Amino acid sequence: MFQIDCLNGKLLFFIFHSIIHNSSQIRYTDITYNYDFLQEDLFMLIKNGFLIDPASDTERLVDLRITDGLIQTLADAGTLTPENGEDELDAAGLMISPGLVDTHIHFRDPGFTYKEDLHTGSLAAAAGGFTSVICMANTSPVIDSVPVLKELMEREALEDIHIFQAAAVSCGLKGEEMTSMKELAAAGACGFTDDGIPLKNAAFLYKAMEEAKALDLPISLHEEDPAFIETNGINHGPVSDALGIYGSPSIAEESLVARDCLLALRSGAQVVIQHISSGQSVELVRTFKAMGANLHAEATPHHFTLTDEAVLKYGSLAKMNPPLRTENDRLAIIEGLKDGTIDLIATDHAPHSTEEKSRPITQTPSGIIGLETSLALGITSLVRPGHLTLSQLIEKMTINPASLYHLPCGSVAEGKSADLVLFDPNEKWIPETYASKSSNSPFTGWELYGKVKYTICDGKIVYKD
């Protein structure tokens, strides 16, 4: 177990990454933090909040004392009083949960920073209650080599939230030559994915799964076979017919999910089916999980909230890969969330410029932003209708992703880093403007329930409503 003393939080994270760069045997969870500096917001007392911590099965009113960026004391509400002039934050009427964790985001940095960059992406994450996120590898250059990974991680460490980085499975995302996965893992990659592009060669993917298993890191898969797709981003069906295009049928996803469930079962690797969109895909994951495959699945807020009918109303703002599908598919995703088949909620935060999203729908890029509305959509679409409890929702947005990727977060306990989100699950609000550099969301103007009031990362308030 490593203990690190440092002059400031950013230096700590830089040292943390440097250690990771030099040992494939060190996990994020092998490091404890000991800050010896005094910084605004790192010493505070949070009183009278209702803690929901699925990791410890805790649901109760608490007081929390934060010292040096760590949770020093966790006590029953009303038992702690301010000491040494520490700031007091009255959380009466608010829920406290671990800072949210998103396993699937695109900050477009490097290469596409006119859409988003590390800083604006971090601001968007904090506004949505996220203290930890995992960036995908489909940047320019692709994150397929150690020098590119190291340079990016050093810049990521300068932001106020924790940004972790996935590396590519194949060089240049071409699906032909495998990256040096062992070296990338030693340099700090927390998982592997060619997200945005499917891995079409089954034998190649199987070898990559074997390597990921040896490294004890997840491999995440974008499941869309382009051979079935004529126009991506829009489900093949009555809606695509109305638009005069063929679209993307669900078999494009289901065929690869079926194949990769078999490969996961055979390889034993931790395999993540990204942004699942088809009810048949959910059933395949359910079946192979029961057979013993180490499968995980992500559901996005847009896939459990909207159907392909939204394309007729919102146009390109409802175009994404994989596409929104039918009401039966949406309900099957909700059932998968309810029974644990789907264990991760991830945003697939995908910023695009207004100019790009203003093109004709067959020419506009796929994807929407999602960090700032994710928690509220979970509450609005899943909790309030009774599909999930609030604790079950938080579990899929905190401890489940943190455990899968070996991240030092996802729970609230004494001695842990003070990564927290305070929110009012009953407050109505309407998203109108965004901290993100982009605004490509169909949820602008919606009335949602669940407002983030404070986001705290390493004991520092990084967002305040």
Side-chain angles (χ1 to χ4, degrees):
M1 182 73 71
F2 292 86
Q3 180 167 300
I4 304 172
D5 295 277
C6 62
L7 300 178
N8 59 64
K10 298 309 171 191
L11 180 57
L12 177 142
F13 219 76
F14 180 82
I15 294 172
F16 160 71
H17 281 307
S18 296
I19 292 174
I20 293 293
H21 291 166
N22 292 303
S23 176
S24 61
Q25 302 304 312
I26 299 174
R27 288 280 179 214
Y28 297 109
T29 46
D30 289 330
I31 298 176
T32 60
Y33 308 129
N34 180 21
Y35 300 82
D36 61 358
F37 63 97
L38 179 64
Q39 184 173 332
E40 182 183 2
D41 298 325
L42 293 181
F43 296 79
M44 74 172 78
L45 179 63
I46 302 175
K47 291 187 62 65
N48 306 311
F50 190 87
L51 175 63
I52 297 180
D53 180 30
S56 60
D57 197 25
T58 298
E59 295 187 36
R60 64 185 175 103
L61 286 166
V62 300
D63 292 345
L64 279 168
R65 169 162 284 121
I66 298 172
T67 303
D68 294 341
L70 303 178
I71 298 171
Q72 181 188 49
T73 309
L74 173 60
D76 290 336
T79 59
L80 300 182
T81 56
E83 296 178 353
N84 302 320
E86 66 187 352
D87 293 333
E88 182 176 340
L89 194 164
D90 185 5
L94 300 181
M95 302 291 178
I96 303 173
S97 86
L100 305 182
V101 182
D102 194 338
T103 60
H104 189 156
I105 58 98
H106 301 269
F107 280 171
R108 307 302 193 196
D109 195 343
F112 308 100
T113 53
Y114 67 93
K115 304 175 191 248
E116 193 81 281
D117 57 46
L118 294 180
H119 186 62
T120 59
S122 297
L123 293 175
F130 291 90
T131 55
S132 297
V133 299
I134 298 176
C135 287
M136 298 294 96
N138 58 339
T139 52
S140 183
V142 173
I143 313 303
D144 59 2
S145 68
V146 169
V148 174
L149 174 64
K150 283 186 175 181
E151 189 277 334
L152 182 57
M153 289 179 65
E154 287 167 4
R155 291 193 293 115
E156 289 170 340
L158 301 177
E159 298 299 330
D160 283 338
I161 65 163
H162 302 306
I163 306 176
F164 301 95
Q165 187 63 54
V169 177
S170 69
C171 295
L173 306 180
K174 295 179 180 179
E176 298 170 353
E177 178 186 357
M178 198 178 305
T179 58
S180 298
M181 294 171 69
K182 185 175 181 179
E183 293 181 4
L184 288 163
C190 67
F192 300 94
T193 179
D194 274 14
D195 177 55
I197 300 175
L199 286 160
K200 293 183 287 186
N201 186 317
F204 175 89
L205 176 55
Y206 183 70
K207 290 179 182 178
M209 285 185 183
E210 289 184 313
E211 183 69 10
K213 182 179 186 296
L215 296 168
D216 190 25
L217 291 176
I219 183 167
S220 302
L221 305 174
H222 184 118
E223 306 287 49
E224 285 190 296
D225 187 338
F228 290 101
I229 301 170
E230 291 187 12
T231 303
N232 67 9
I234 301 165
N235 183 49
H236 172 64
V239 170
S240 65
D241 289 345
L243 296 171
I245 59 178
Y246 181 81
S248 174
S250 62
I251 189 64
E253 173 179 292
E254 296 152 2
S255 59
L256 290 188
V257 171
R259 181 199 72 176
D260 296 343
C261 284
L262 282 166
L263 296 179
L265 181 65
R266 183 67 175 265
S267 69
Q270 297 281 357
V271 173
V272 181
I273 306 300
Q274 296 179 300
H275 40 46
I276 201 164
S277 72
S278 160
Q280 290 290 343
S281 295
V282 175
E283 185 58 35
L284 284 164
V285 172
R286 181 181 290 116
T287 298
F288 278 88
K289 270 191 167 185
M291 294 170 66
N294 290 322
L295 283 165
H296 307 268
E298 301 171 348
T300 71
H302 43 276
H303 284 114
F304 63 65
T305 299
L306 299 171
T307 70
D308 55 358
E309 295 285 335
V311 177
L312 299 177
K313 183 174 183 179
Y314 300 105
S316 66
L317 294 179
K319 179 184 179 184
M320 65 276 299
N321 299 338
L324 301 170
R325 301 205 189 273
T326 68
E327 177 66 0
N328 286 338
D329 291 308
R330 188 184 77 86
L331 293 176
I333 289 169
I334 291 174
E335 284 302 311
L337 287 163
K338 289 169 67 174
D339 69 15
T341 298
I342 302 172
D343 50 353
L344 308 169
I345 291 176
T347 65
D348 190 16
H349 177 80
H352 294 293
S353 69
T354 300
E355 292 74 19
E356 288 171 322
K357 279 293 190 178
S358 297
R359 298 171 188 164
I361 196 163
T362 56
Q363 300 173 26
T364 189
S366 296
I368 66 171
I369 60 170
L371 285 166
E372 295 172 67
T373 53
S374 181
L375 178 61
L377 286 167
I379 292 170
T380 303
S381 299
L382 299 176
V383 176
R384 291 182 68 85
H387 301 305
L388 298 181
T389 66
L390 190 53
S391 181
Q392 288 170 329
L393 174 70
I394 297 301
E395 179 184 37
K396 296 174 192 296
M397 301 180 74
T398 58
I399 189 60
N400 284 1
S403 297
L404 175 62
Y405 283 90
H406 310 292
L407 306 183
C409 55
S411 62
V412 178
E414 293 180 355
K416 292 273 191 176
S417 181
D419 292 353
L420 307 166
V421 56
L422 282 63
F423 63 97
D424 183 345
N426 298 311
E427 182 176 337
K428 295 182 194 176
W429 65 289
I430 297 174
E432 295 176 320
T433 59
Y434 299 96
S436 171
K437 191 178 289 189
S438 296
S439 59
N440 51 307
S441 170
F443 302 113
T444 303
W446 279 42
E447 184 176 84
L448 302 177
Y449 287 88
K451 190 71 175 72
V452 174
K453 309 304 286 185
Y454 296 91
T455 304
I456 298 170
C457 189
D458 288 334
K460 178 182 178 181
I461 295 175
V462 296
Y463 173 80
K464 180 179 179 180
D465 183 35

